[in-house]
Amino acid sequence: MALFGNAHTVDPAQAQQDFARLLGAGEQVRAAFLLIRDTILFTDRRLILVDKQGITGKKVEYHSVPYRSITHFAVETAGTFDLDAELKIWISGSSVPIEKTFTKGVDIYEVQAILTQFVAK
């Protein structure tokens, strides 16, 4: 499904190893999703967006979003004809949300629960 631009689940332990250099001491990856070349990491401290750029993907931009900066979020479940679920996250200081699309195989309720756990503190 990555060919269609939709995210799919990545093993958090594997993401922990793959992105160890980005993580702070004791920081743990709780969930991870792959979107073609980009990755979304939900850690116990922040949301990390890994954006590979260019044709080769050697240039990478890392966005670190502390959960306290998330003002609100929305999830849209997959439907009968629309097989994708969507996540929108609004960050303080920005009127345009971060938008990510997930395949029907991803439990969007799990994503919502992770955000609720950390944002609602």
Side-chain angles (χ1 to χ4, degrees), residues 99-119:
E99 297 184 46
K100 299 296 177 184
T101 303
F102 297 82
T103 61
K104 192 172 184 177
V106 171
D107 184 357
I108 196 68
Y109 294 106
E110 176 187 357
V111 174
Q112 186 270 337
I114 292 167
L115 279 170
T116 299
Q117 178 183 358
F118 294 115
V119 172

Side-chain angles (χ1 to χ4, degrees), residues 1-73:
M1 292 303 290
L3 293 175
F4 297 107
N6 296 333
H8 63 275
T9 304
V10 175
D11 177 42
Q14 184 63 49
Q16 183 83 27
Q17 290 179 353
D18 293 345
F19 296 98
R21 293 176 23 184
L22 293 178
L23 304 174
E27 187 173 12
Q28 296 293 311
V29 175
R30 298 296 176 112
F33 301 92
L34 181 65
L35 174 58
I36 302 180
R37 298 184 304 172
D38 299 342
T39 305
I40 306 166
L41 303 172
F42 293 90
T43 77
D44 55 349
R45 299 180 188 168
R46 60 195 165 131
L47 174 66
I48 302 172
L49 305 170
V50 182
D51 181 14
K52 291 189 177 181
Q53 301 175 353
I55 295 171
T56 64
K58 288 185 178 185
K59 183 176 180 179
V60 182
E61 184 173 46
Y62 301 96
H63 295 269
S64 177
V65 181
Y67 291 118
R68 68 181 177 277
S69 297
I70 297 173
T71 59
H72 69 282
F73 60 90

